[in-house]
Amino acid sequence: MSQRPLDDASSSILAAAREILAAEGQAALTVRRIAAGAGGSTMNVYSRFGGKDGVIDALLIEGFEHLTAAIRAVRTTKSPLADLLRCGVAYRTFALDHQAHYELMFDRVVPGYVMSERAHVTAAAALGTMADRVQVAMDAGLIRRGDTVATATVLWSACHGPVSLEMKGVGPPSTDWAEVNRQLMAAAVAGLSAGQRR
Amino acid sequence: MSQRPLDDASSSILAAAREILAAEGQAALTVRRIAAGAGGSTMNVYSRFGGKDGVIDALLIEGFEHLTAAIRAVRTTKSPLADLLRCGVAYRTFALDHQAHYELMFDRVVPGYVMSERAHVTAAAALGTMADRVQVAMDAGLIRRGDTVATATVLWSACHGPVSLEMKGVGPPSTDWAEVNRQLMAAAVAGLSAGQRR
DNA sequence: CCGTTACGATAACACTGTTATCACCACGTC
DNA sequence: GACGTGGTGATAACAGTGTTATCGTAACGG
């Protein structure tokens, strides 16, 4: 999956970073902590990954790969529209199960960090997986024909919106976010369905 | 609007913070910069606002108040559904015009910061403004009756999703985000419309 | 077996938010 | 009016951060 196999030191650094991120959130993800967790010194992080941003980038790529896998893992049935709705549920499940990872992927929480080219490509691949499912629904004549990626972006937004607000704790605490997610996703799919105009 | 009138020092600190945030983004928003911008010392920030979090909180509240005003400013016509759609446009316009503020409001970008009670109330007020417009549409029999706040949360998510992804630069650069925003908002409104079931 | 080279641990640097110190200035009292 | 007292705020210190420079060491080539 990764561009080239990592040596032991690199992979242990990445493993340590992954562990810290999952266990204590991104605020605890410091170069010193990562280095200590990997059993090396801070210089290791810099020689292997070029700095903290490099580690972030690697984790981000991992995250998008997992998201792609999660979307791909949604089973394909005879009802492509229902499949798309289940993708929305899978998306939310992934986000809630890997909150820290998700924040890393979709919030620019690390000040100076900018996504690398490879990270952008991996993110595009995740969107592409969604677009593939959109294609299936189009071929079945269930949603309007058009650019699959653009359509997938709409659905992606319908997933990300509720998930993002839910994780940030905006809105009343009593909110049933699973229901919000379901409603918006259902509305989006219905809005794209072939019967409707515009 | 604010709980109690601020003295000169407090308001100049807030003004400096607002200016730095708008001009250079939240990464430049340091206590020393704020104090220097306000012409005082760092201690001022601590005695007036209790620390950086207090300033963030004040800016956040301002942001939600502006958002509330932006939604309220959308003109009310004889077509409540069209009004809701224009709210979506206004929402995106607000977000793009005040990117740094929006990130402060919806990304937990400052590590240890947690919203104060007052901030939560102000955020709820913004959602309430949206809920008011939902109420109008319900009264007109245009969308299904139900909890206005829950319905407003769905619409809010439909606004936030595209805006968030657009600002983060996720997705292909050629994406027409205004169109994504329009489509999702239209789909959400349609999905809530009285004619549809579920 | 030595010279070179590259690696990595340590420590330093420029920052950050936060806190302690402490001079100073205004006020109240004699 | 002079003096003691209080609080305010500027300075500097502290514990972190990411990053970089120094420099000992260990491995490799001849």
Side-chain angles (χ1 to χ4, degrees):
Chain A
M1 211 54 121
S2 298
Q3 213 159 21
R4 50 185 180 198
L6 300 169
D7 59 316
D8 283 4
S10 295
S11 60
S12 73
I13 286 173
L14 209 50
R18 198 183 306 121
E19 198 164 337
I20 293 170
L21 179 66
E24 305 179 48
Q26 74 87 27
L29 203 62
T30 72
V31 176
R32 285 167 178 81
R33 284 286 310 272
I34 296 171
S41 182
T42 63
M43 274 303 295
N44 268 298
V45 176
Y46 285 87
S47 54
R48 298 297 205 290
F49 291 89
K52 188 183 182 181
D53 285 8
V55 181
I56 303 287
D57 213 61
L59 290 175
L60 198 95
I61 289 172
E62 278 189 4
F64 275 112
E65 286 172 352
H66 286 154
L67 178 55
T68 300
I71 296 173
R72 208 184 294 274
V74 173
R75 70 179 186 281
T76 302
T77 69
K78 283 183 295 187
S79 170
L81 254 39
D83 295 351
L84 284 177
L85 294 183
R86 274 201 308 282
C87 281
V89 177
Y91 186 100
R92 176 164 179 269
T93 302
F94 168 84
L96 295 185
D97 284 352
H98 309 86
Q99 285 211 25
H101 242 98
Y102 192 86
E103 285 178 13
L104 219 59
M105 292 156 67
F106 291 102
D107 303 341
R108 293 285 164 274
V109 78
V110 181
Y113 169 74
V114 288
M115 285 172 73
S116 70
E117 189 56 37
R118 213 160 86 75
H120 267 113
V121 169
T122 316
L127 183 60
T129 305
M130 199 71 179
D132 291 344
R133 291 185 171 275
V134 167
Q135 181 72 61
V136 172
M138 279 186 188
D139 290 344
L142 295 170
I143 64 176
R144 284 197 310 281
R145 310 206 76 82
D147 183 33
T148 56
V149 173
T151 304
T153 302
V154 174
L155 295 178
W156 190 299
S157 300
C159 294
H160 172 71
V163 163
S164 175
L165 292 181
E166 177 177 11
M167 284 184 13
K168 304 306 166 30
V170 187
S174 60
T175 308
D176 181 352
W177 286 107
E179 177 62 14
V180 172
N181 177 69
R182 197 192 64 74
Q183 277 193 30
L184 186 55
M185 196 64 185
V189 169
L192 295 167
S193 77
Q196 299 219 356
R197 131 154 5 169
R198 293 214 119 238
Chain B
M1 208 58 116
S2 299
Q3 214 159 21
R4 50 186 178 194
L6 300 169
D7 59 316
D8 284 4
S10 295
S11 60
S12 73
I13 286 173
L14 209 50
R18 198 183 306 123
E19 199 165 336
I20 293 171
L21 179 67
E24 306 178 48
Q26 75 88 26
L29 203 63
T30 72
V31 176
R32 286 168 177 80
R33 283 288 308 273
I34 296 170
S41 183
T42 63
M43 272 304 294
N44 268 299
V45 176
Y46 285 87
S47 56
R48 298 298 205 289
F49 291 89
K52 187 183 182 181
D53 285 8
V55 181
I56 303 286
D57 213 62
L59 290 176
L60 199 93
I61 289 172
E62 278 190 3
F64 276 112
E65 287 172 351
H66 287 153
L67 178 56
T68 299
I71 295 173
R72 208 184 292 273
V74 173
R75 70 178 186 282
T76 302
T77 68
K78 283 182 295 185
S79 170
L81 255 41
D83 295 351
L84 284 176
L85 295 182
R86 275 201 308 282
C87 282
V89 176
Y91 187 100
R92 176 164 177 268
T93 302
F94 168 83
L96 296 185
D97 284 351
H98 309 85
Q99 286 212 24
H101 242 98
Y102 191 86
E103 285 179 13
L104 218 59
M105 291 156 68
F106 291 101
D107 302 340
R108 292 284 165 277
V109 79
V110 182
Y113 170 74
V114 288
M115 285 171 73
S116 71
E117 188 57 37
R118 214 160 84 77
H120 267 113
V121 169
T122 316
L127 183 60
T129 305
M130 198 73 178
D132 290 343
R133 291 186 171 276
V134 167
Q135 181 72 61
V136 172
M138 279 185 188
D139 290 345
L142 296 171
I143 65 177
R144 284 196 309 282
R145 310 205 76 82
D147 184 32
T148 55
V149 173
T151 304
T153 303
V154 174
L155 295 178
W156 190 298
S157 300
C159 293
H160 173 69
V163 162
S164 176
L165 293 181
E166 176 177 13
M167 283 183 16
K168 304 305 165 32
V170 187
S174 58
T175 308
D176 181 353
W177 287 107
E179 177 62 14
V180 172
N181 177 69
R182 198 192 62 75
Q183 277 193 28
L184 186 56
M185 197 62 186
V189 170
L192 294 167
S193 77
Q196 299 218 358
R197 132 155 5 173
R198 290 212 121 243

